Amino acid sequence: MKRQISQFLRHLRLLRFDLLTDRSPSLPDNSSIVDQRLTIVESDGVKKWACFRCPGGCGELINLSLNPNQRPRWTVSEDFWMRPTVNPSVHQQNACGCHFWIKQGHVHWCKGGLPRLNSTIGSIKRAF
């Protein structure tokens, strides 16, 4: 219900976000990851992975480890409206080369972090 309210408020331009969170008990496969969603894989109250599609347009699946005993690792928190904040930044090491932060559901591009795939993707807005 909260997701529907968030999307309705977004439609009215009262709430801004690029991503909302979902939960899953197991690592989702590539076909089940939905655009504009960050899926938190959680088991017994322990966050294990954050999975989402690269916002730069390459469509690659990004899986971030949330395991505090593993490196590299990230943390994900969410606000009341299910908007995620990811720390530290995400830096794609593929041809896309995106480098961005996710704060309160917004994608914030680092300087020089816009995708390198081609000129049409390079015209993507700085903060979706």
Side-chain angles (χ1 to χ4, degrees):
M1 181 66 151
K2 195 183 296 186
R3 175 173 289 107
Q4 288 86 2
I5 294 170
S6 295
Q7 290 174 332
F8 178 70
L9 291 174
R10 180 185 191 189
H11 177 74
L12 295 175
R13 298 181 188 262
L14 297 174
L15 187 66
R16 293 189 54 217
F17 58 86
D18 299 315
L19 297 165
L20 289 179
T21 57
D22 274 338
R23 291 262 191 300
S24 175
S26 61
L27 198 61
D29 64 0
N30 195 11
S31 63
S32 63
I33 296 293
V34 180
D35 287 341
Q36 300 179 354
R37 296 286 166 85
L38 182 143
T39 301
I40 297 174
V41 178
E42 186 173 22
S43 178
D44 297 324
V46 177
K47 294 177 183 177
K48 297 180 177 181
W49 295 95
C51 309
F52 59 100
R53 296 231 177 264
C54 178
C58 70
E60 184 168 317
L61 180 63
I62 298 174
N63 293 321
L64 303 177
S65 174
L66 304 178
N67 182 340
N69 300 318
Q70 187 173 341
R71 291 201 172 161
R73 66 176 177 263
W74 287 261
T75 60
V76 175
S77 60
E78 35 187 342
D79 67 9
F80 178 80
W81 296 110
M82 302 172 66
R83 299 178 301 179
T85 294
V86 176
N87 282 305
S89 66
V90 179
H91 191 183
Q92 285 283 75
Q93 299 298 313
N94 63 2
C96 177
C98 289
H99 190 192
F100 55 91
W101 290 88
I102 300 173
K103 295 185 180 192
Q104 290 186 318
H106 293 281
V107 174
H108 298 276
W109 297 99
C110 295
K111 186 175 182 178
L114 285 171
R116 296 187 299 251
L117 290 178
N118 62 43
S119 59
T120 59
I121 292 177
S123 65
I124 294 174
K125 295 181 206 173
R126 283 223 168 254
F128 278 27

Short mmCIF file of all heavy atoms in Angstrom, two decimals, residues 43-72:
data_model
loop_
_atom_site.label_atom_id
_atom_site.label_comp_id
_atom_site.label_asym_id
_atom_site.label_seq_id
_atom_site.Cartn_x
_atom_site.Cartn_y
_atom_site.Cartn_z
N SER A 43 17.14 -12.21 4.62
CA SER A 43 16.77 -13.49 5.20
C SER A 43 16.92 -13.41 6.71
O SER A 43 17.99 -13.02 7.20
CB SER A 43 17.65 -14.60 4.62
OG SER A 43 17.34 -15.83 5.20
N ASP A 44 15.89 -13.75 7.44
CA ASP A 44 15.90 -13.70 8.91
C ASP A 44 16.32 -12.33 9.43
O ASP A 44 17.07 -12.22 10.40
CB ASP A 44 16.81 -14.78 9.49
CG ASP A 44 16.33 -16.19 9.15
OD1 ASP A 44 15.09 -16.39 9.11
OD2 ASP A 44 17.18 -17.06 8.92
N GLY A 45 15.85 -11.28 8.77
CA GLY A 45 16.15 -9.92 9.20
C GLY A 45 17.54 -9.42 8.85
O GLY A 45 17.92 -8.32 9.24
N VAL A 46 18.31 -10.23 8.12
CA VAL A 46 19.67 -9.84 7.74
C VAL A 46 19.69 -9.46 6.26
O VAL A 46 19.34 -10.27 5.40
CB VAL A 46 20.67 -10.99 8.00
CG1 VAL A 46 22.06 -10.61 7.53
CG2 VAL A 46 20.66 -11.38 9.47
N LYS A 47 20.11 -8.22 5.98
CA LYS A 47 20.22 -7.76 4.59
C LYS A 47 21.48 -8.36 3.99
O LYS A 47 22.56 -8.25 4.57
CB LYS A 47 20.29 -6.24 4.53
CG LYS A 47 19.03 -5.55 4.99
CD LYS A 47 19.21 -4.05 4.95
CE LYS A 47 17.99 -3.34 5.47
NZ LYS A 47 18.19 -1.87 5.51
N LYS A 48 21.33 -9.01 2.81
CA LYS A 48 22.46 -9.68 2.17
C LYS A 48 22.92 -9.02 0.88
O LYS A 48 24.11 -8.92 0.62
CB LYS A 48 22.11 -11.15 1.92
CG LYS A 48 21.84 -11.91 3.20
CD LYS A 48 21.49 -13.34 2.93
CE LYS A 48 21.30 -14.09 4.24
NZ LYS A 48 21.00 -15.48 4.03
N TRP A 49 21.98 -8.63 0.04
CA TRP A 49 22.30 -8.06 -1.27
C TRP A 49 21.35 -6.92 -1.59
O TRP A 49 20.20 -6.92 -1.14
CB TRP A 49 22.16 -9.11 -2.38
CG TRP A 49 23.11 -10.24 -2.29
CD1 TRP A 49 22.90 -11.45 -1.71
CD2 TRP A 49 24.45 -10.28 -2.80
NE1 TRP A 49 24.02 -12.24 -1.83
CE2 TRP A 49 24.99 -11.55 -2.49
CE3 TRP A 49 25.24 -9.36 -3.48
CZ2 TRP A 49 26.27 -11.91 -2.85
CZ3 TRP A 49 26.53 -9.73 -3.84
CH2 TRP A 49 27.02 -10.99 -3.52
N ALA A 50 21.82 -5.99 -2.41
CA ALA A 50 20.98 -4.96 -3.02
C ALA A 50 21.13 -5.15 -4.52
O ALA A 50 22.24 -5.14 -5.05
CB ALA A 50 21.43 -3.57 -2.61
N CYS A 51 20.03 -5.38 -5.22
CA CYS A 51 20.05 -5.69 -6.65
C CYS A 51 19.18 -4.68 -7.41
O CYS A 51 18.05 -4.42 -7.02
CB CYS A 51 19.51 -7.09 -6.89
SG CYS A 51 20.27 -8.38 -5.89
N PHE A 52 19.73 -4.15 -8.50
CA PHE A 52 18.98 -3.21 -9.33
C PHE A 52 19.64 -3.09 -10.69
O PHE A 52 20.76 -3.57 -10.89
CB PHE A 52 18.88 -1.82 -8.66
CG PHE A 52 20.20 -1.17 -8.36
CD1 PHE A 52 20.71 -0.18 -9.19
CD2 PHE A 52 20.95 -1.54 -7.25
CE1 PHE A 52 21.93 0.43 -8.91
CE2 PHE A 52 22.16 -0.92 -6.96
CZ PHE A 52 22.65 0.05 -7.79
N ARG A 53 18.95 -2.50 -11.63
CA ARG A 53 19.49 -2.27 -12.97
C ARG A 53 20.29 -0.97 -12.98
O ARG A 53 19.93 0.00 -12.33
CB ARG A 53 18.38 -2.16 -13.99
CG ARG A 53 17.60 -3.43 -14.13
CD ARG A 53 17.51 -3.84 -15.60
NE ARG A 53 16.81 -5.10 -15.67
CZ ARG A 53 17.41 -6.27 -15.73
NH1 ARG A 53 18.71 -6.34 -15.76
NH2 ARG A 53 16.73 -7.39 -15.78
N CYS A 54 21.37 -0.98 -13.74
CA CYS A 54 22.20 0.21 -13.87
C CYS A 54 21.34 1.37 -14.40
O CYS A 54 20.67 1.22 -15.43
CB CYS A 54 23.37 -0.05 -14.81
SG CYS A 54 24.43 1.39 -15.07
N PRO A 55 21.33 2.50 -13.71
CA PRO A 55 20.51 3.63 -14.17
C PRO A 55 21.09 4.35 -15.38
O PRO A 55 20.45 5.24 -15.93
CB PRO A 55 20.49 4.55 -12.94
CG PRO A 55 21.75 4.25 -12.23
CD PRO A 55 22.01 2.79 -12.46
N GLY A 56 22.29 3.96 -15.82
CA GLY A 56 22.93 4.63 -16.95
C GLY A 56 22.43 4.20 -18.31
O GLY A 56 22.83 4.77 -19.31
N GLY A 57 21.59 3.18 -18.36
CA GLY A 57 21.03 2.77 -19.63
C GLY A 57 21.62 1.50 -20.21
O GLY A 57 21.09 0.97 -21.18
N CYS A 58 22.69 0.96 -19.64
CA CYS A 58 23.27 -0.27 -20.19
C CYS A 58 22.42 -1.49 -19.81
O CYS A 58 22.52 -2.53 -20.45
CB CYS A 58 24.72 -0.46 -19.72
SG CYS A 58 24.92 -0.88 -17.97
N GLY A 59 21.59 -1.35 -18.76
CA GLY A 59 20.69 -2.43 -18.36
C GLY A 59 21.34 -3.54 -17.57
O GLY A 59 20.68 -4.51 -17.21
N GLU A 60 22.62 -3.39 -17.26
CA GLU A 60 23.32 -4.44 -16.52
C GLU A 60 22.76 -4.55 -15.10
O GLU A 60 22.42 -3.56 -14.46
CB GLU A 60 24.81 -4.14 -16.46
CG GLU A 60 25.59 -5.25 -15.77
CD GLU A 60 27.08 -5.11 -15.95
OE1 GLU A 60 27.50 -4.80 -17.07
OE2 GLU A 60 27.80 -5.33 -14.96
N LEU A 61 22.67 -5.78 -14.63
CA LEU A 61 22.23 -6.04 -13.27
C LEU A 61 23.37 -5.74 -12.31
O LEU A 61 24.49 -6.22 -12.49
CB LEU A 61 21.79 -7.50 -13.13
CG LEU A 61 21.30 -7.93 -11.76
CD1 LEU A 61 20.06 -7.18 -11.36
CD2 LEU A 61 21.03 -9.43 -11.77
N ILE A 62 23.10 -4.94 -11.31
CA ILE A 62 24.10 -4.61 -10.29
C ILE A 62 23.70 -5.31 -9.00
O ILE A 62 22.58 -5.14 -8.53
CB ILE A 62 24.18 -3.08 -10.06
CG1 ILE A 62 24.63 -2.38 -11.34
CG2 ILE A 62 25.10 -2.75 -8.90
CD1 ILE A 62 24.61 -0.87 -11.26
N ASN A 63 24.60 -6.11 -8.46
CA ASN A 63 24.41 -6.79 -7.18
C ASN A 63 25.44 -6.25 -6.21
O ASN A 63 26.64 -6.45 -6.40
CB ASN A 63 24.58 -8.31 -7.31
CG ASN A 63 23.50 -8.94 -8.15
OD1 ASN A 63 22.34 -8.57 -8.07
ND2 ASN A 63 23.87 -9.91 -8.95
N LEU A 64 24.99 -5.57 -5.16
CA LEU A 64 25.90 -5.02 -4.16
C LEU A 64 25.82 -5.86 -2.90
O LEU A 64 24.73 -6.10 -2.38
CB LEU A 64 25.50 -3.58 -3.82
CG LEU A 64 25.44 -2.58 -4.97
CD1 LEU A 64 24.96 -1.23 -4.47
CD2 LEU A 64 26.79 -2.46 -5.65
N SER A 65 26.96 -6.27 -2.40
CA SER A 65 27.00 -7.06 -1.17
C SER A 65 26.73 -6.16 0.03
O SER A 65 27.33 -5.10 0.18
CB SER A 65 28.37 -7.73 -1.00
OG SER A 65 28.43 -8.36 0.26
N LEU A 66 25.84 -6.61 0.90
CA LEU A 66 25.53 -5.89 2.13
C LEU A 66 26.12 -6.61 3.34
O LEU A 66 25.86 -6.22 4.48
CB LEU A 66 24.01 -5.74 2.28
CG LEU A 66 23.28 -5.08 1.11
CD1 LEU A 66 21.78 -5.03 1.37
CD2 LEU A 66 23.83 -3.70 0.83
N ASN A 67 26.91 -7.64 3.09
CA ASN A 67 27.54 -8.43 4.15
C ASN A 67 28.64 -7.61 4.81
O ASN A 67 29.62 -7.25 4.16
CB ASN A 67 28.12 -9.72 3.56
CG ASN A 67 28.73 -10.63 4.58
OD1 ASN A 67 29.08 -10.23 5.68
ND2 ASN A 67 28.88 -11.89 4.21
N PRO A 68 28.52 -7.32 6.12
CA PRO A 68 29.53 -6.49 6.77
C PRO A 68 30.91 -7.14 6.89
O PRO A 68 31.90 -6.47 7.15
CB PRO A 68 28.94 -6.23 8.16
CG PRO A 68 27.98 -7.33 8.38
CD PRO A 68 27.46 -7.73 7.02
N ASN A 69 30.99 -8.46 6.66
CA ASN A 69 32.26 -9.18 6.74
C ASN A 69 32.94 -9.34 5.39
O ASN A 69 33.97 -10.01 5.30
CB ASN A 69 32.05 -10.55 7.37
CG ASN A 69 31.49 -10.43 8.77
OD1 ASN A 69 31.91 -9.58 9.54
ND2 ASN A 69 30.52 -11.26 9.09
N GLN A 70 32.36 -8.78 4.34
CA GLN A 70 32.90 -8.95 2.99
C GLN A 70 33.30 -7.58 2.44
O GLN A 70 32.72 -6.56 2.80
CB GLN A 70 31.84 -9.59 2.10
CG GLN A 70 32.33 -9.96 0.74
CD GLN A 70 31.27 -10.74 -0.03
OE1 GLN A 70 30.35 -11.29 0.54
NE2 GLN A 70 31.42 -10.78 -1.33
N ARG A 71 34.29 -7.58 1.56
CA ARG A 71 34.70 -6.35 0.89
C ARG A 71 34.72 -6.57 -0.60
O ARG A 71 35.18 -7.63 -1.01
CB ARG A 71 36.07 -5.91 1.39
CG ARG A 71 35.97 -5.47 2.81
CD ARG A 71 37.09 -4.59 3.18
NE ARG A 71 36.77 -4.08 4.51
CZ ARG A 71 37.63 -3.58 5.32
NH1 ARG A 71 38.88 -3.49 4.97
NH2 ARG A 71 37.27 -3.12 6.48
N PRO A 72 34.30 -5.66 -1.43
CA PRO A 72 33.66 -4.42 -1.02
C PRO A 72 32.26 -4.68 -0.46
O PRO A 72 31.66 -5.72 -0.73
CB PRO A 72 33.59 -3.61 -2.31
CG PRO A 72 33.54 -4.63 -3.39
CD PRO A 72 34.36 -5.80 -2.88
#
